[in-house]
Amino acid sequence: MTAAVAEFTVDPWDPGYAAALAVEALAELGPTSAELVLDVERDAADWKPIDPPPGTETPEVLLIADGVRRIDARVWVHDPSSPMPTPGIAASFAAGIVECGPAGASLAAVEVGRALFSASAQTPEVKTPHATYRAERASGPSMDELSLALQRQVTQLEVDLAVRHRSRADDLLLVDGPLRGRTHLPRTVGYIKTHHAAYLPGPQSSVVSALSPGQRTPVFLMGTSWRRHAWYVRLPVGSAAPWAGIARCEAGAELPADEVVRLADALTLVLPSLAGVDYKDPRAPQNLVPIGGLEKLLRHRLGDPRLLYRALRGAAGS
């Protein structure tokens, strides 16, 4: 007997209206009071802005990885064995790596993926004249769970590209966004441009506000739903706002403290030269120039959303 094949229909609601909750925020969900170990590098009472010491070694090659995602359509998966359809999303995503070295920045790798995500065991692969959306199972039917399933695919694509294209033992990989899911990669640091929570107590938070461009806070250990080392750094910025130009960096919790300190010093020296400028990018300076350029390229590689939406509706017969 041939098993019944699930069908799907496309929701006519503009998929852009489903993106109000940032996926980066979802990845950061956890207790509001983070576990903190403040004396990793300095005693908590001795916190002050840190300048990288003379002789700090910077990597000859800095790899920057980023990914983008887009919901092309919201769908309903019709499982013949279920009386109710299951919500899902058809999404395009891409990841890329920029190599920054002595000769400047160059594109090292780009890859695009597409998938249909739903909690149904009968989620179908969807083939259209313009793209194929492979079937991916989400843990549940809510938009949060579908978005997290999509984010996991983006993260995995970034990891795969990084593993394939890291050719030097001493290069440094900077990933745009939290490090979660990538802590096993060597010499890898997460780079967080926006802040959804104030993790530090008042005295240490005031050190963040006191940073000058090119300075960082001491390294500390933090845990929400997962553990990692972290530090804050200020990039060159014209605004006098207390947290203007502040980015947070993350490294694996299992790394020795002295190794994390070396990574923190190296990046504090390198990042200012890559900072975005406000007349070109409204997210400057935290949105680094290589990241901004890579994001633009990756979004272009996702293809025309109107064409893909029409193709999905055609494949669904709607």
Side-chain angles (χ1 to χ4, degrees), residues 229-301:
H229 287 99
W231 65 95
Y232 290 92
V233 59
R234 191 187 295 274
L235 301 175
V237 65
S239 172
W243 279 59
I246 296 294
R248 189 175 81 247
C249 296
E250 298 180 341
E254 76 287 351
L255 295 178
D258 57 350
E259 182 176 344
V260 179
V261 168
R262 287 194 294 271
L263 287 174
D265 284 334
L267 274 176
T268 303
L269 277 180
V270 169
L271 291 180
S273 65
L274 303 175
V277 290
D278 55 9
Y279 66 87
K280 291 184 177 180
D281 190 338
R283 294 177 295 168
Q286 291 98 312
N287 201 44
L288 304 177
V289 171
I291 291 176
L294 181 56
E295 287 177 343
K296 184 177 180 180
L297 173 66
L298 293 177
R299 290 195 181 98
H300 176 72
R301 294 288 183 92

Side-chain angles (χ1 to χ4, degrees), residues 26-29 155 175 177-183 224-226 250:
L26 290 173
E28 288 286 76
L29 287 178
T155 298
V175 295
L179 193 60
R180 187 170 190 169
R182 295 167 284 202
T183 56
T224 49
S225 55
W226 60 294
E250 298 180 341

Side-chain angles (χ1 to χ4, degrees), residues 78-295:
H78 302 274
D79 186 340
S81 65
S82 174
M84 296 292 292
T86 304
I89 55 174
S92 297
F93 52 95
I97 296 178
V98 172
E99 182 176 308
C100 302
S106 60
L107 183 66
V110 170
E111 191 166 327
V112 177
R114 306 185 201 275
L116 192 152
F117 300 86
S118 90
S120 171
Q122 300 299 319
T123 302
E125 178 182 76
V126 177
K127 295 183 177 181
T128 80
H130 304 291
T132 296
Y133 293 76
R134 70 174 187 267
E136 289 290 344
R137 188 87 177 268
S139 61
S142 72
M143 192 60 203
D144 286 3
E145 290 163 314
L146 295 171
S147 294
L148 285 172
L150 170 56
Q151 178 59 27
R152 282 194 292 269
Q153 290 297 312
V154 178
T155 298
Q156 187 58 52
L157 188 55
E158 291 181 21
V159 169
D160 292 344
L161 286 181
V163 170
R164 293 203 300 266
H165 292 276
R166 294 185 81 171
S167 59
R168 296 171 55 93
D170 60 346
D171 63 12
L172 180 59
L173 175 65
L174 187 74
V175 295
D176 187 36
L179 193 60
R180 187 170 190 169
R182 295 167 284 202
T183 56
H184 62 289
L185 296 175
R187 288 181 58 75
T188 300
V189 173
Y191 178 76
I192 296 89
K193 301 187 291 283
T194 57
H195 310 286
H196 303 290
Y199 294 107
L200 294 173
Q204 287 74 35
S205 184
S206 66
V207 175
V208 179
S209 302
L211 293 176
S212 295
Q215 292 184 322
R216 65 172 179 87
T217 66
V219 171
F220 58 100
L221 191 66
M222 63 183 294
T224 49
S225 55
W226 60 294
R227 287 167 57 85
R228 66 276 202 197
H229 287 99
W231 65 95
Y232 290 92
V233 59
R234 191 187 295 274
L235 301 175
V237 65
S239 172
W243 279 59
I246 296 294
R248 189 175 81 247
C249 296
E250 298 180 341
E254 76 287 351
L255 295 178
D258 57 350
E259 182 176 344
V260 179
V261 168
R262 287 194 294 271
L263 287 174
D265 284 334
L267 274 176
T268 303
L269 277 180
V270 169
L271 291 180
S273 65
L274 303 175
V277 290
D278 55 9
Y279 66 87
K280 291 184 177 180
D281 190 338
R283 294 177 295 168
Q286 291 98 312
N287 201 44
L288 304 177
V289 171
I291 291 176
L294 181 56
E295 287 177 343

